[in-house]
Tab-separated table of all heavy atoms in Angstrom:
chain	number	residue	atom	x	y	z
C	43	ILE	N	124.107	84.041	80.270
C	43	ILE	CA	125.173	83.360	81.018
C	43	ILE	C	126.412	83.265	80.142
C	43	ILE	O	126.340	82.804	79.001
C	43	ILE	CB	124.718	81.940	81.443
C	43	ILE	CG1	123.441	82.043	82.284
C	43	ILE	CG2	125.821	81.232	82.198
C	43	ILE	CD1	122.826	80.690	82.619
C	44	ASP	N	127.540	83.688	80.683
C	44	ASP	CA	128.762	83.715	79.876
C	44	ASP	C	129.201	82.321	79.426
C	44	ASP	O	129.605	82.142	78.276
C	44	ASP	CB	129.899	84.397	80.662
C	44	ASP	CG	129.787	85.916	80.563
C	44	ASP	OD1	129.092	86.387	79.638
C	44	ASP	OD2	130.368	86.623	81.399
C	45	GLY	N	129.109	81.327	80.294
C	45	GLY	CA	129.672	80.020	79.973
C	45	GLY	C	128.718	79.062	79.261
C	45	GLY	O	128.973	77.855	79.246
C	46	ALA	N	127.632	79.566	78.717
C	46	ALA	CA	126.682	78.645	78.085
C	46	ALA	C	126.056	79.273	76.848
C	46	ALA	O	126.030	80.489	76.704
C	46	ALA	CB	125.582	78.259	79.072
C	47	ARG	N	125.592	78.399	75.944
C	47	ARG	CA	124.855	78.915	74.789
C	47	ARG	C	123.864	77.861	74.320
C	47	ARG	O	124.045	76.664	74.581
C	47	ARG	CB	125.792	79.307	73.653
C	47	ARG	CG	126.500	78.126	73.041
C	47	ARG	CD	127.496	78.581	71.964
C	47	ARG	NE	127.971	77.412	71.244
C	47	ARG	CZ	127.581	77.045	69.999
C	47	ARG	NH1	126.746	77.801	69.327
C	47	ARG	NH2	128.042	75.940	69.454
C	48	VAL	N	122.840	78.299	73.637
C	48	VAL	CA	121.900	77.369	73.027
C	48	VAL	C	122.491	76.967	71.682
C	48	VAL	O	122.625	77.799	70.787
C	48	VAL	CB	120.522	78.020	72.827
C	48	VAL	CG1	119.551	77.032	72.179
C	48	VAL	CG2	119.965	78.530	74.149
C	49	SER	N	122.843	75.705	71.549
C	49	SER	CA	123.486	75.279	70.306
C	49	SER	C	122.494	74.622	69.344
C	49	SER	O	122.732	74.580	68.143
C	49	SER	CB	124.642	74.325	70.611
C	49	SER	OG	124.150	73.200	71.317
C	50	ALA	N	121.405	74.093	69.882
C	50	ALA	CA	120.424	73.439	69.011
C	50	ALA	C	119.040	73.521	69.638
C	50	ALA	O	118.914	73.567	70.866
C	50	ALA	CB	120.800	71.970	68.786
C	51	VAL	N	118.026	73.570	68.779
C	51	VAL	CA	116.645	73.603	69.266
C	51	VAL	C	115.809	72.589	68.492
C	51	VAL	O	116.093	72.290	67.331
C	51	VAL	CB	116.006	75.013	69.118
C	51	VAL	CG1	116.764	76.046	69.956
C	51	VAL	CG2	115.964	75.439	67.653
C	52	ALA	N	114.783	72.072	69.179
C	52	ALA	CA	113.865	71.139	68.512
C	52	ALA	C	112.449	71.397	69.004
C	52	ALA	O	112.253	71.740	70.171
C	52	ALA	CB	114.269	69.695	68.838
C	53	ASP	N	111.504	71.258	68.108
C	53	ASP	CA	110.100	71.400	68.518
C	53	ASP	C	109.230	70.654	67.517
C	53	ASP	O	109.599	70.486	66.344
C	53	ASP	CB	109.699	72.885	68.569
C	53	ASP	CG	108.411	73.093	69.371
C	53	ASP	OD1	107.313	72.898	68.802
C	53	ASP	OD2	108.516	73.436	70.564
C	54	ALA	N	108.080	70.194	67.978
C	54	ALA	CA	107.164	69.487	67.085
C	54	ALA	C	106.675	70.409	65.962
C	54	ALA	O	106.282	69.945	64.889
C	54	ALA	CB	105.981	68.946	67.884
C	55	PHE	N	106.717	71.698	66.216
C	55	PHE	CA	106.283	72.668	65.203
C	55	PHE	C	107.482	73.441	64.680
C	55	PHE	O	108.390	73.791	65.429
C	55	PHE	CB	105.252	73.627	65.791
C	55	PHE	CG	104.009	72.916	66.246
C	55	PHE	CD1	103.888	72.467	67.557
C	55	PHE	CD2	102.968	72.644	65.347
C	55	PHE	CE1	102.762	71.784	67.971
C	55	PHE	CE2	101.837	71.961	65.759
C	55	PHE	CZ	101.726	71.523	67.077
C	56	ALA	N	107.465	73.713	63.397
C	56	ALA	CA	108.629	74.339	62.757
C	56	ALA	C	108.814	75.785	63.181
C	56	ALA	O	109.937	76.236	63.441
C	56	ALA	CB	108.482	74.254	61.232
C	57	GLU	N	107.696	76.525	63.264
C	57	GLU	CA	107.794	77.972	63.452
C	57	GLU	C	108.478	78.391	64.761
C	57	GLU	O	109.452	79.160	64.727
C	57	GLU	CB	106.396	78.595	63.363
C	57	GLU	CG	106.432	80.077	63.034
C	57	GLU	CD	105.017	80.661	63.092
C	57	GLU	OE1	104.048	79.874	63.052
C	57	GLU	OE2	104.911	81.897	63.212
C	58	PRO	N	108.003	77.922	65.919
C	58	PRO	CA	108.662	78.359	67.153
C	58	PRO	C	110.124	77.936	67.194
C	58	PRO	O	110.966	78.659	67.730
C	58	PRO	CB	107.848	77.676	68.266
C	58	PRO	CG	107.016	76.644	67.597
C	58	PRO	CD	106.836	77.069	66.179
C	59	ALA	N	110.440	76.787	66.629
C	59	ALA	CA	111.829	76.329	66.603
C	59	ALA	C	112.678	77.314	65.800
C	59	ALA	O	113.764	77.730	66.216
C	59	ALA	CB	111.907	74.925	65.999
C	60	GLN	N	112.171	77.681	64.627
C	60	GLN	CA	112.928	78.595	63.780
C	60	GLN	C	113.105	79.955	64.455
C	60	GLN	O	114.181	80.554	64.411
C	60	GLN	CB	112.220	78.761	62.418
C	60	GLN	CG	113.083	79.431	61.363
C	60	GLN	CD	114.427	78.711	61.191
C	60	GLN	OE1	114.471	77.496	60.997
C	60	GLN	NE2	115.530	79.447	61.302
C	61	MET	N	112.038	80.429	65.083
C	61	MET	CA	112.090	81.728	65.754
C	61	MET	C	113.180	81.760	66.818
C	61	MET	O	113.954	82.708	66.922
C	61	MET	CB	110.745	82.023	66.415
C	61	MET	CG	110.140	83.334	66.002
C	61	MET	SD	108.542	83.581	66.849
C	61	MET	CE	109.095	83.741	68.557
C	62	LEU	N	113.221	80.673	67.590
C	62	LEU	CA	114.217	80.615	68.662
C	62	LEU	C	115.618	80.460	68.072
C	62	LEU	O	116.594	81.006	68.601
C	62	LEU	CB	113.892	79.434	69.597
C	62	LEU	CG	114.201	79.640	71.074
C	62	LEU	CD1	113.673	80.966	71.567
C	62	LEU	CD2	113.601	78.513	71.892
C	63	ALA	N	115.705	79.717	66.989
C	63	ALA	CA	116.997	79.553	66.319
C	63	ALA	C	117.509	80.901	65.819
C	63	ALA	O	118.682	81.249	65.988
C	63	ALA	CB	116.850	78.573	65.143
C	64	ASP	N	116.594	81.693	65.244
C	64	ASP	CA	116.991	83.018	64.747
C	64	ASP	C	117.530	83.885	65.880
C	64	ASP	O	118.518	84.604	65.718
C	64	ASP	CB	115.776	83.743	64.121
C	64	ASP	CG	115.361	83.097	62.803
C	64	ASP	OD1	116.138	82.271	62.280
C	64	ASP	OD2	114.262	83.402	62.306
C	65	ARG	N	116.869	83.794	67.001
C	65	ARG	CA	117.258	84.668	68.105
C	65	ARG	C	118.564	84.238	68.760
C	65	ARG	O	119.303	85.067	69.284
C	65	ARG	CB	116.131	84.647	69.148
C	65	ARG	CG	115.929	86.000	69.798
C	65	ARG	CD	114.883	85.957	70.868
C	65	ARG	NE	113.573	86.323	70.382
C	65	ARG	CZ	112.469	86.236	71.112
C	65	ARG	NH1	112.516	85.769	72.340
C	65	ARG	NH2	111.317	86.596	70.619
C	66	THR	N	118.822	82.926	68.772
C	66	THR	CA	119.977	82.434	69.523
C	66	THR	C	121.145	82.012	68.638
C	66	THR	O	122.246	81.781	69.127
C	66	THR	CB	119.578	81.191	70.348
C	66	THR	OG1	119.068	80.193	69.420
C	66	THR	CG2	118.506	81.518	71.360
C	67	GLY	N	120.899	81.869	67.353
C	67	GLY	CA	121.948	81.374	66.470
C	67	GLY	C	122.099	79.866	66.524
C	67	GLY	O	123.081	79.306	66.030
C	68	ALA	N	121.117	79.199	67.147
C	68	ALA	CA	121.191	77.742	67.262
C	68	ALA	C	120.709	77.067	65.977
C	68	ALA	O	120.066	77.688	65.126
C	68	ALA	CB	120.321	77.283	68.437
C	69	ASN	N	121.035	75.770	65.837
C	69	ASN	CA	120.525	74.976	64.712
C	69	ASN	C	119.189	74.358	65.065
C	69	ASN	O	118.970	73.947	66.207
C	69	ASN	CB	121.494	73.835	64.382
C	69	ASN	CG	122.840	74.376	63.945
C	69	ASN	OD1	122.904	75.315	63.138
C	69	ASN	ND2	123.900	73.810	64.510
C	70	VAL	N	118.311	74.282	64.070
C	70	VAL	CA	117.056	73.556	64.268
C	70	VAL	C	117.287	72.094	63.894
C	70	VAL	O	117.734	71.796	62.793
C	70	VAL	CB	115.926	74.145	63.391
C	70	VAL	CG1	114.655	73.328	63.558
C	70	VAL	CG2	115.687	75.600	63.717
C	71	LEU	N	117.005	71.215	64.837
C	71	LEU	CA	117.181	69.778	64.594
C	71	LEU	C	115.919	69.049	65.018
C	71	LEU	O	115.049	69.614	65.684
C	71	LEU	CB	118.357	69.247	65.434
C	71	LEU	CG	119.746	69.861	65.180
C	71	LEU	CD1	120.762	69.283	66.172
C	71	LEU	CD2	120.188	69.557	63.738
C	72	SER	N	115.843	67.767	64.640
C	72	SER	CA	114.790	66.937	65.227
C	72	SER	C	115.218	66.602	66.653
C	72	SER	O	116.411	66.690	66.994
C	72	SER	CB	114.649	65.633	64.443
C	72	SER	OG	115.778	64.803	64.691
C	73	ALA	N	114.262	66.224	67.505
C	73	ALA	CA	114.592	65.898	68.889
C	73	ALA	C	115.654	64.799	68.925
C	73	ALA	O	116.637	64.868	69.673
C	73	ALA	CB	113.331	65.431	69.638
C	74	GLN	N	115.446	63.816	68.087
C	74	GLN	CA	116.374	62.681	68.000
C	74	GLN	C	117.800	63.146	67.677
C	74	GLN	O	118.755	62.799	68.378
C	74	GLN	CB	115.866	61.740	66.885
C	74	GLN	CG	116.584	60.417	66.805
C	74	GLN	CD	116.258	59.539	68.014
C	74	GLN	OE1	115.207	59.690	68.629
C	74	GLN	NE2	117.185	58.660	68.366
C	75	ASP	N	117.895	63.946	66.608
C	75	ASP	CA	119.216	64.423	66.180
C	75	ASP	C	119.836	65.328	67.237
C	75	ASP	O	121.049	65.288	67.471
C	75	ASP	CB	119.097	65.190	64.856
C	75	ASP	CG	118.805	64.244	63.689
C	75	ASP	OD1	118.894	63.002	63.909
C	75	ASP	OD2	118.487	64.737	62.595
C	76	LEU	N	119.025	66.158	67.840
C	76	LEU	CA	119.529	67.066	68.869
C	76	LEU	C	120.165	66.281	70.002
C	76	LEU	O	121.272	66.573	70.460
C	76	LEU	CB	118.380	67.935	69.392
C	76	LEU	CG	118.732	69.019	70.410
C	76	LEU	CD1	117.764	70.205	70.312
C	76	LEU	CD2	118.761	68.474	71.833
C	77	ILE	N	119.442	65.253	70.447
C	77	ILE	CA	119.939	64.464	71.580
C	77	ILE	C	121.244	63.771	71.230
C	77	ILE	O	122.127	63.606	72.067
C	77	ILE	CB	118.861	63.444	72.014
C	77	ILE	CG1	117.722	64.189	72.748
C	77	ILE	CG2	119.436	62.351	72.883
C	77	ILE	CD1	116.501	63.335	73.050
C	78	GLU	N	121.382	63.399	69.969
C	78	GLU	CA	122.599	62.660	69.582
C	78	GLU	C	123.704	63.551	69.063
C	78	GLU	O	124.814	63.088	68.784
C	78	GLU	CB	122.222	61.619	68.527
C	78	GLU	CG	121.473	60.457	69.181
C	78	GLU	CD	120.779	59.547	68.174
C	78	GLU	OE1	120.997	59.756	66.956
C	78	GLU	OE2	120.028	58.655	68.611
C	79	SER	N	123.405	64.853	68.956
C	79	SER	CA	124.387	65.776	68.382
C	79	SER	C	125.629	65.906	69.260
C	79	SER	O	125.543	66.029	70.480
C	79	SER	CB	123.750	67.166	68.215
C	79	SER	OG	124.753	68.126	68.017
C	80	ALA	N	126.792	65.882	68.632
C	80	ALA	CA	128.056	66.075	69.343
C	80	ALA	C	128.160	67.504	69.837
C	80	ALA	O	128.934	67.819	70.739
C	80	ALA	CB	129.234	65.766	68.407
C	81	ASP	N	127.362	68.371	69.248
C	81	ASP	CA	127.385	69.797	69.580
C	81	ASP	C	126.448	70.119	70.751
C	81	ASP	O	126.183	71.275	71.039
C	81	ASP	CB	126.950	70.589	68.326
C	81	ASP	CG	127.418	72.026	68.392
C	81	ASP	OD1	128.478	72.275	69.038
C	81	ASP	OD2	126.737	72.887	67.819
C	82	VAL	N	125.930	69.098	71.404
C	82	VAL	CA	125.022	69.298	72.545
C	82	VAL	C	125.570	68.559	73.759
C	82	VAL	O	125.777	67.352	73.718
C	82	VAL	CB	123.604	68.778	72.197
C	82	VAL	CG1	122.763	68.629	73.458
C	82	VAL	CG2	122.927	69.707	71.198
C	83	ASP	N	125.839	69.337	74.854
C	83	ASP	CA	126.341	68.722	76.089
C	83	ASP	C	125.218	68.406	77.057
C	83	ASP	O	125.310	67.489	77.865
C	83	ASP	CB	127.302	69.697	76.805
C	83	ASP	CG	128.433	70.146	75.901
C	83	ASP	OD1	129.012	69.288	75.204
C	83	ASP	OD2	128.718	71.367	75.879
C	84	ALA	N	124.199	69.222	76.975
C	84	ALA	CA	123.106	69.087	77.944
C	84	ALA	C	121.796	69.419	77.256
C	84	ALA	O	121.767	70.238	76.341
C	84	ALA	CB	123.322	70.037	79.121
C	85	VAL	N	120.721	68.781	77.715
C	85	VAL	CA	119.414	69.107	77.142
C	85	VAL	C	118.510	69.743	78.190
C	85	VAL	O	118.560	69.400	79.372
C	85	VAL	CB	118.692	67.877	76.542
C	85	VAL	CG1	119.474	67.323	75.365
C	85	VAL	CG2	118.457	66.807	77.608
C	86	VAL	N	117.696	70.682	77.713
C	86	VAL	CA	116.654	71.275	78.535
C	86	VAL	C	115.323	70.753	77.997
C	86	VAL	O	114.976	71.025	76.838
C	86	VAL	CB	116.701	72.812	78.454
C	86	VAL	CG1	115.419	73.425	79.007
C	86	VAL	CG2	117.916	73.344	79.206
C	87	ILE	N	114.613	69.966	78.805
C	87	ILE	CA	113.364	69.354	78.351
C	87	ILE	C	112.184	70.233	78.763
C	87	ILE	O	111.838	70.315	79.945
C	87	ILE	CB	113.205	67.931	78.915
C	87	ILE	CG1	114.402	67.064	78.482
C	87	ILE	CG2	111.880	67.311	78.460
C	87	ILE	CD1	114.363	65.634	78.988
C	88	GLY	N	111.594	70.892	77.788
C	88	GLY	CA	110.457	71.770	78.047
C	88	GLY	C	109.266	71.411	77.180
C	88	GLY	O	108.457	72.267	76.845
C	89	THR	N	109.185	70.149	76.837
C	89	THR	CA	108.099	69.632	75.988
C	89	THR	C	106.910	69.197	76.856
C	89	THR	O	107.013	69.182	78.083
C	89	THR	CB	108.618	68.396	75.203
C	89	THR	OG1	109.202	67.499	76.177
C	89	THR	CG2	109.679	68.794	74.196
C	90	PRO	N	105.767	68.844	76.258
C	90	PRO	CA	104.638	68.351	77.059
C	90	PRO	C	105.047	67.175	77.942
C	90	PRO	O	105.908	66.361	77.573
C	90	PRO	CB	103.623	67.923	75.983
C	90	PRO	CG	103.936	68.785	74.792
C	90	PRO	CD	105.434	68.967	74.823
C	91	THR	N	104.412	67.109	79.100
C	91	THR	CA	104.805	66.138	80.125
C	91	THR	C	104.845	64.707	79.602
C	91	THR	O	105.768	63.940	79.952
C	91	THR	CB	103.835	66.217	81.332
C	91	THR	OG1	103.859	67.557	81.825
C	91	THR	CG2	104.236	65.272	82.430
C	92	ASP	N	103.906	64.340	78.747
C	92	ASP	CA	103.839	62.925	78.331
C	92	ASP	C	104.993	62.512	77.411
C	92	ASP	O	105.153	61.336	77.113
C	92	ASP	CB	102.471	62.593	77.714
C	92	ASP	CG	102.162	63.482	76.517
C	92	ASP	OD1	103.055	64.249	76.068
C	92	ASP	OD2	101.026	63.427	76.025
C	93	THR	N	105.796	63.474	76.992
C	93	THR	CA	106.965	63.125	76.170
C	93	THR	C	108.242	63.022	77.006
C	93	THR	O	109.279	62.579	76.508
C	93	THR	CB	107.206	64.202	75.092
C	93	THR	OG1	107.596	65.418	75.760
C	93	THR	CG2	105.950	64.471	74.270
C	94	HIS	N	108.183	63.490	78.267
C	94	HIS	CA	109.395	63.531	79.100
C	94	HIS	C	110.061	62.163	79.205
C	94	HIS	O	111.277	62.023	79.087
C	94	HIS	CB	109.052	64.021	80.519
C	94	HIS	CG	108.735	65.487	80.602
C	94	HIS	ND1	108.528	66.145	81.782
C	94	HIS	CD2	108.584	66.437	79.633
C	94	HIS	CE1	108.262	67.424	81.560
C	94	HIS	NE2	108.282	67.618	80.257
C	95	PHE	N	109.211	61.158	79.453
C	95	PHE	CA	109.728	59.810	79.727
C	95	PHE	C	110.682	59.342	78.617
C	95	PHE	O	111.829	58.950	78.885
C	95	PHE	CB	108.533	58.854	79.862
C	95	PHE	CG	108.907	57.449	80.207
C	95	PHE	CD1	109.093	57.057	81.527
C	95	PHE	CD2	109.061	56.494	79.196
C	95	PHE	CE1	109.420	55.732	81.848
C	95	PHE	CE2	109.394	55.179	79.512
C	95	PHE	CZ	109.573	54.806	80.835
Side-chain angles (χ1 to χ4, degrees):
Chain C
I43 302 173
D44 278 341
R47 67 184 190 104
V48 180
S49 59
V51 298
D53 197 278
F55 298 92
E57 201 185 343
Q60 193 54 52
M61 235 180 66
L62 215 48
D64 289 348
R65 217 183 266 173
T66 58
N69 298 315
V70 177
L71 300 176
S72 71
Q74 189 69 25
D75 288 350
L76 184 151
I77 286 171
E78 286 166 7
S79 164
D81 201 29
V82 165
D83 305 316
V85 296
V86 165
I87 302 180
T89 52
T91 303
D92 58 8
T93 67
H94 288 186
F95 183 86

